[in-house]
Amino acid sequence: VLSLSTLPLQADAAPKRAARKATRSKTTTAPIPAAPAPAASASPQPSPSPRLAPAVALPALSLDPQSVTVSGISSGAFMAVQLQVARSSMIHGAATVAGGPFYCAKGSADTAQRDCMGNPDAIKVPELIASTREFAAKSQIDSLETLHSRGNILIIQGTLDTVVKPVTAAKLESYFAEFLPEEKIQVKADLPSGHGFPTLDFGISCENQGKPWLNRCNWDGAGAILASLIPTESGLAPRA
């Protein structure tokens, strides 16, 4: 049974609900402003490439391909041996100052610095000779017969050298003795010199080692190399 006393309450509620609905419909939500766009930053522009100087034509030289030799000191001496053995058809003699035998490092920088320089007793010359023969048999280096017939080898080594120990030069001599006639191998291993190139009167004192890696040993290393590698009949000029 519905009591009549409740009807006015229900009648009053309807307008109120309508008013609330109208109020909600009139309410608007303010748009959230978009975040400002980040300021554009200019990307660094690559610096212009330097202008290259035009190539200069090299002059023609009158060189005898049969008189090309190679010389070096320290790592350059090892390089000279590598080149003489591997390309004996092109190189007709080599001189080394503080160098060692072919393939001494066997492709390892660690071996080069540990054994070839500081611990030459670890250098196994028979193994290096065997590797050389194998390379030649596979045509990876020039013929060993060609090496046998080429020019002289001069080995220079200081007795006080602590960078490339004197035993390394002795191993180099043993290595070349396997492939070259004895008369083609010259050795100067009695200089009381540190690690450096021996000169007559320029550089630091003979027994020391350091910059400029020239040692004043009262011995003309450059002259000895030229005299050893260049045939006498070529007319090598005497020292001025």
Side-chain angles (χ1 to χ4, degrees):
V1 176
L2 180 61
S3 172
L4 294 178
S5 63
T6 63
L7 292 177
L9 295 177
Q10 294 175 354
D12 291 342
K16 291 179 180 179
R17 286 196 298 269
R20 287 196 298 268
K21 184 176 181 182
T23 302
R24 286 197 300 268
S25 65
K26 292 180 181 179
T27 302
T28 59
T29 303
I32 299 174
S41 58
S43 58
Q45 299 297 318
S47 57
S49 300
R51 298 184 63 182
L52 300 178
V56 177
L58 297 177
L61 301 176
S62 178
L63 299 178
D64 179 7
Q66 301 302 312
S67 64
V68 177
T69 65
V70 60
S71 307
I73 176 175
S74 197
S75 59
F78 282 87
M79 178 277 299
V81 173
Q82 297 288 118
L83 192 55
Q84 172 66 77
V85 174
R87 293 293 176 259
S88 57
S89 61
M90 302 168 55
I91 307 300
H92 297 257
T96 69
V97 180
F102 176 81
Y103 198 52
C104 182
K106 300 181 179 180
S108 167
D110 288 339
T111 301
Q113 297 184 4
R114 183 185 64 247
D115 297 344
C116 300
M117 296 171 60
N119 184 29
D121 288 332
I123 300 174
K124 308 302 183 186
V125 174
E127 293 181 7
L128 303 181
I129 291 172
S131 295
T132 304
R133 295 191 185 280
E134 181 180 352
F135 294 147
K138 294 179 179 179
S139 298
Q140 294 175 326
I141 62 175
D142 288 346
S143 165
L144 296 180
E145 288 73 18
T146 305
L147 176 62
H148 183 274
S149 64
R150 292 304 179 184
N152 295 329
I153 302 296
L154 175 59
I155 300 170
I156 302 172
Q157 177 66 47
T159 60
L160 304 178
D161 192 332
T162 61
V163 177
V164 178
K165 303 291 182 61
V167 175
T168 304
K171 296 292 182 79
L172 175 58
E173 181 182 2
S174 298
Y175 172 85
F176 271 128
E178 182 69 19
F179 301 108
L180 295 174
E182 183 179 354
E183 63 271 14
K184 286 183 173 291
I185 305 172
Q186 303 176 58
V187 179
K188 178 68 174 177
D190 58 354
L191 284 171
S193 170
H195 190 71
F197 193 95
T199 73
L200 274 176
D201 52 13
F202 184 80
I204 62 177
S205 59
C206 190
E207 68 275 9
N208 291 330
Q209 53 192 30
K211 294 180 180 180
W213 307 106
L214 297 170
N215 292 48
R216 191 174 62 253
C217 296
N218 195 33
W219 188 73
D220 184 7
I225 290 173
L226 292 174
S228 172
L229 301 184
I230 298 178
T232 306
E233 58 270 17
S234 65
L236 179 65
R239 181 181 176 87

